[in-house]
Amino acid sequence: MTFPSPKIVGLLKTRDEWPLAALAITHFLLRQGDEVYVIDHCSQRPGAEALFPLLNASLGSRVRLYRYEETELWEEGMMNALIQLSQESEPDWFCPFDSDEFLAPSAPLGQSLAALPASVEALYYPLENWLAPREMDDARFEDYLRIEGRTLPHLPNAAPTPQQIQQIRGGTLSYFALAPERKVLFRNSPDVWLGAGNHQIWPLNLPAAQILDASSLKAIHLPLLSWPRLQRKSRRGQRCRLEGRPANFGWQNQMLFDLEQAGRLEDYWARHSLGADVPRPGLNYRLDGQFRELIRPAAEYLQSLDWTEKGAVQALTLAPELCRLGQRAHRALLNVAHPPAPIQWRLQGNLTPAQLAPYEAQTFPSLQKHWRSHPQRGPLTAALALRGQTVVALGVLEELDKTQAELLSLWVAPEYRRQGYGRQLLSRLQSVLKPRQTLTAHYKTSELTQAALEPLLTRLGWQAPEPTFLLAKTDRPHIAQAPWLRQFPLSSEFTVFPWLDLTAADRQTLAQLDYPPALSPLADPERLEPLNSLGLRHREQFIGWLVTHRVDPQTIRYSTLFVAPRFRAKARGIALLSQAILRQMESPAEFYTFAVAADNALMSRFFRRHLRPYMTWVSESRRRRFLPQKS
């Protein structure tokens, strides 16, 4: 008995994944799909324009492309917005997939879906992780025909435990030892919501859902496809940190960011790719030609196109309101099935860092990092919002004295943002201030602080922001390009010496020098970096210093630079900085960070002219104050 083939629509959200996304789209359309609806989320390399030849080819009429230019990630909102938009195509089934996933049914998918009873609303199918060659170029379609490493995981397909994540991070467990979570395809229904990651649909209590094994339907997954892709995923992990996301949100990307900061990302890639002769603890795999044959039609089709052809992609802009509306619809759907516990607000004073330590994942910026360089100076007060036993918002302030307090952390769970929780946190913290006590907030500028924190502070009556420091970071390849590193040698009258060789006579001279307190070389002695913290003498007289501090094994912070005023001519400060940088360049420490006081006109000018062109990241530290109303 034959059944009419259902209409299958693919759903894809992608960012900086071209031309990999073109391969996934083409494979879906050639193998099992009728149309694909795509959201391109803020791609920059070069973005959806790389899809131009495909959209102009014979498959192009079956691809609907939307752009979403808001940087904030509304993953579920975006995917469910696509579901709403695709209703004009009258689909029978939806097949959401990622750019690195390639469906591999054992029989034509349309026939299999047509034969299902009408009561079956969804199919859950497994993913198989595959290894890529060490020198994989994900921009070359022919390189995909070289992928032949099918992993053999021995741990169940569930979200990894914190212990397993630590083992993967430490190199004692392979990422590929874990079986990926299942994915879902489902019927078109007005009562269904697609969850984050395309792993499940809501409500979970559907009339019927089938769980398939790999013999009938699976998808081949290429999560660690190439070295450049790992670096892009690390950048996304950095963004998760800047946005204050919890540790389990995009945990792979956050882990890759940590590994890159520690200088271990290349080693991680070597252990999770084929072609490098390195130990791979916990990794089992088998050479298999299945993916090569599966992807060959799509790869050869794309190779036949003229990829030198350029043009503008005619894409529609997806309104942010549609995605946010989708997020609210999701919450409403969950609330109908599972009414949430009411929000409970608490205000607790006289806390200690140890009492707040269990809530580290709910702090932004990190309180643990703050305590490492700033010991507690006064009583701590926390305002928090609880839903059941879950903390959904947390703010912490420290009372310094009767006239000053500092806002240390302000965090709201991503799904509760833009709903007034941040305002309520701050209002509660402001309510504990004494009549003449000023509350101060110090923060780094970022997309998150400019979009959320600064407007919030303005609405609550805080004073205008004051720049305090220019902040910057770079790496060895970029700073090595600075031409001034070797252009300003010191004459024989000057001696540069390691800071640890500071003599008693030098200390006496230091006590007599007139320098701003912020430039003291004696601050934070526990983390002083002996490698390139330097002192400067002129004819045996101590006249200046450059002090650095170790931030982590791969990063050194250039903290204070001072040269006595009468010796500042002929770029002697630059010479001292150059010597410190050159010493670090001979060490394994890869990264350099700088902080320049905003009111230091001389150093600010030097930074703009000589350092800024060789930085990989630049931001600004700001300060804002709140003065309570006089009663």
Side-chain angles (χ1 to χ4, degrees):
M1 182 176 180
T2 60
F3 302 91
S5 183
K7 186 168 187 177
I8 307 171
V9 168
L11 307 171
L12 171 65
K13 178 189 70 64
T14 186
R15 178 173 185 171
D16 291 330
E17 295 285 13
W18 312 99
L20 174 60
L23 188 66
I25 292 168
T26 303
H27 169 75
F28 178 80
L29 293 176
L30 290 179
R31 287 279 185 169
Q32 57 264 328
D34 295 287
E35 296 181 34
V36 179
Y37 280 68
V38 182
I39 286 182
D40 177 38
H41 182 212
C42 297
S43 288
Q44 297 177 354
R45 52 173 301 275
E49 288 74 13
L51 197 61
F52 180 80
L54 174 59
L55 293 176
N56 265 12
S58 59
L59 295 178
S61 60
R62 296 160 62 189
V63 181
R64 294 293 301 273
L65 179 63
Y66 294 84
R67 281 199 183 91
Y68 186 66
E69 300 297 345
E70 290 239 331
T71 55
E72 188 166 2
L73 177 62
W74 301 79
E75 181 175 358
E76 290 188 27
M78 280 189 265
M79 292 300 288
N80 286 279
L82 277 187
I83 291 175
Q84 296 177 48
L85 293 167
S86 66
Q87 294 302 321
E88 66 181 18
S89 295
E90 300 182 350
D92 297 303
W93 284 80
F94 287 114
C95 181
F97 60 94
D98 292 336
S99 298
D100 55 5
E101 295 171 3
F102 300 86
L103 215 59
S106 59
L109 185 59
Q111 292 181 18
S112 300
L113 296 178
L116 287 173
S119 60
V120 175
E121 296 279 351
L123 297 176
Y124 288 90
Y125 60 90
L127 291 184
E128 283 184 356
N129 283 333
W130 283 54
L131 292 160
R134 173 91 166 119
E135 303 302 326
M136 174 77 186
D137 182 351
D138 57 15
R140 290 166 48 90
F141 295 117
E142 54 266 35
D143 274 24
Y144 291 88
L145 301 178
R146 299 169 50 213
I147 295 175
E148 56 181 3
R150 178 163 63 91
T151 66
L152 306 172
H154 61 273
L155 295 175
N157 56 345
T161 65
Q163 181 181 11
Q164 289 170 337
I165 293 175
Q166 287 301 322
Q167 290 174 328
I168 296 171
R169 188 194 308 266
T172 59
L173 180 68
S174 172
Y175 165 78
F176 289 125
L178 303 172
E181 293 183 75
R182 291 185 177 92
K183 291 296 183 88
V184 64
L185 57 89
F186 54 96
R187 288 189 194 271
N188 186 11
S189 167
D191 300 322
V192 168
W193 175 272
L194 178 61
N198 308 333
H199 296 294
Q200 61 186 18
I201 54 175
W202 300 88
L204 296 176
N205 55 340
L206 289 171
Q210 289 189 5
I211 298 178
L212 306 178
D213 59 32
S215 64
S216 53
L217 176 64
K218 67 180 180 182
I220 290 178
H221 185 213
L222 309 176
L224 306 178
L225 182 59
S226 67
W227 169 243
R229 190 166 194 250
L230 255 66
Q231 293 174 304
R232 295 195 296 273
K233 290 169 77 71
S234 171
R235 298 285 78 76
R236 293 174 194 164
Q238 181 182 31
R239 179 176 174 80
C240 288
R241 293 289 174 78
L242 292 174
E243 292 178 348
R245 301 282 186 173
N248 63 345
F249 184 94
W251 70 268
Q252 301 170 51
N253 294 341
Q254 293 197 48
M255 179 189 69
L256 293 174
F257 173 65
D258 290 339
L259 290 172
E260 186 170 32
Q261 292 298 294
R264 295 168 46 214
L265 189 60
E266 287 194 69
D267 174 67
Y268 182 84
W269 172 235
R271 289 187 288 107
H272 290 84
S273 58
L274 290 180
D277 186 17
V278 297
R280 298 183 176 90
L283 172 61
N284 297 308
Y285 69 94
R286 177 179 300 160
L287 295 181
D288 190 322
Q290 180 185 9
F291 178 72
R292 181 170 58 245
E293 298 310 313
L294 178 74
I295 205 64
R296 187 183 300 279
E300 292 180 348
Y301 175 84
L302 290 171
Q303 284 178 289
S304 70
L305 302 181
D306 180 8
W307 288 90
T308 64
E309 184 183 6
K310 302 298 179 184
V313 175
Q314 297 299 313
L316 301 174
T317 299
L318 185 65
E321 291 74 17
L322 186 58
C323 293
R324 293 171 187 153
L325 181 63
Q327 293 291 95
R328 290 195 291 273
H330 180 209
R331 286 193 291 270
L333 182 64
L334 293 182
N335 292 348
V336 170
H338 308 284
I343 292 291
Q344 295 182 331
W345 288 93
R346 293 182 185 174
L347 194 63
Q348 297 178 311
N350 295 314
L351 297 171
T352 65
Q355 289 173 303
L356 289 169
Y359 302 98
E360 170 62 16
Q362 287 81 40
T363 62
F364 180 77
S366 165
L367 282 183
Q368 292 300 317
K369 289 183 180 179
H370 175 80
W371 301 133
R372 284 201 289 268
S373 56
H374 299 84
Q376 184 182 4
R377 295 169 289 175
L380 302 173
T381 298
L384 65 161
L386 290 164
R387 172 151 275 164
Q389 299 299 312
T390 303
V391 176
V392 300
L394 175 66
V396 180
L397 69 76
E398 183 177 23
E399 188 175 347
L400 307 182
D401 54 39
K402 292 182 179 180
T403 62
Q404 297 181 81
E406 184 173 345
L407 181 66
L408 300 184
S409 175
L410 190 71
W411 175 87
V412 178
E415 61 269 28
Y416 289 86
R417 292 174 187 169
R418 297 178 182 265
Q419 299 175 60
Y421 287 88
R423 178 181 55 79
Q424 294 191 58
L425 280 180
L426 266 182
S427 296
R428 283 169 165 77
L429 291 174
Q430 290 172 186
S431 71
V432 306
L433 296 174
K434 296 178 175 63
R436 298 181 181 276
Q437 199 171 40
T438 300
L439 180 58
T440 303
H442 299 271
Y443 57 92
K444 298 176 184 177
T445 56
S446 67
E447 290 179 355
L448 180 64
T449 59
Q450 290 178 313
L453 180 62
E454 292 201 336
L456 172 62
L457 298 181
T458 299
R459 286 196 299 271
L460 289 176
W462 287 56
Q463 294 180 347
E466 307 168 48
T468 54
F469 283 93
L470 281 170
L471 307 173
K473 184 174 184 178
T474 191
D475 55 22
R476 185 182 296 119
H478 285 84
I479 196 65
Q481 300 174 33
W484 45 266
L485 281 176
R486 295 176 176 82
Q487 285 182 353
F488 300 100
L490 291 166
S491 69
S492 59
E493 296 180 340
F494 294 87
T495 304
V496 176
F497 64 93
W499 184 254
L500 294 184
D501 293 344
L502 194 72
T503 66
D506 293 332
R507 292 184 180 275
Q508 290 180 355
T509 305
L510 171 62
Q512 299 168 9
L513 288 173
D514 183 18
Y515 59 87
L519 296 184
S520 171
L522 306 178
D524 200 6
E526 294 81 6
R527 293 199 294 169
L528 183 135
E529 176 52 53
L531 171 71
N532 59 348
S533 289
L534 306 174
L536 181 63
R537 298 189 186 106
H538 176 253
R539 296 177 181 173
E540 304 306 318
Q541 180 186 5
F542 178 71
I543 63 166
W545 61 84
L546 187 146
V547 172
T548 65
H549 293 88
R550 179 73 65 153
V551 176
D552 59 47
Q554 287 293 310
T555 308
I556 294 176
R557 183 184 73 219
Y558 288 69
S559 304
T560 59
L561 171 63
F562 177 83
V563 176
R566 69 190 186 94
F567 294 101
R568 289 176 185 168
K570 299 184 179 179
R572 286 165 186 142
I574 299 178
L576 193 58
L577 175 63
S578 300
Q579 293 217 19
I581 291 174
L582 291 171
R583 294 185 187 207
Q584 181 177 343
M585 289 175 62
E586 297 175 356
S587 79
E590 176 74 15
F591 301 104
Y592 308 67
T593 65
F594 303 87
V596 178
D599 58 1
N600 188 334
L602 186 65
M603 278 304 298
S604 295
R605 185 166 60 251
F606 170 78
F607 174 85
R608 288 193 298 271
R609 291 180 178 178
H610 301 291
L611 277 175
R612 179 65 182 86
Y614 309 103
M615 298 294 105
T616 58
W617 172 84
V618 175
S619 182
E620 184 178 80
S621 175
R622 292 180 179 175
R623 174 178 59 216
R624 294 189 74 166
R625 293 187 173 97
F626 174 79
L627 282 67
Q629 297 289 332
K630 294 182 180 179
S631 56

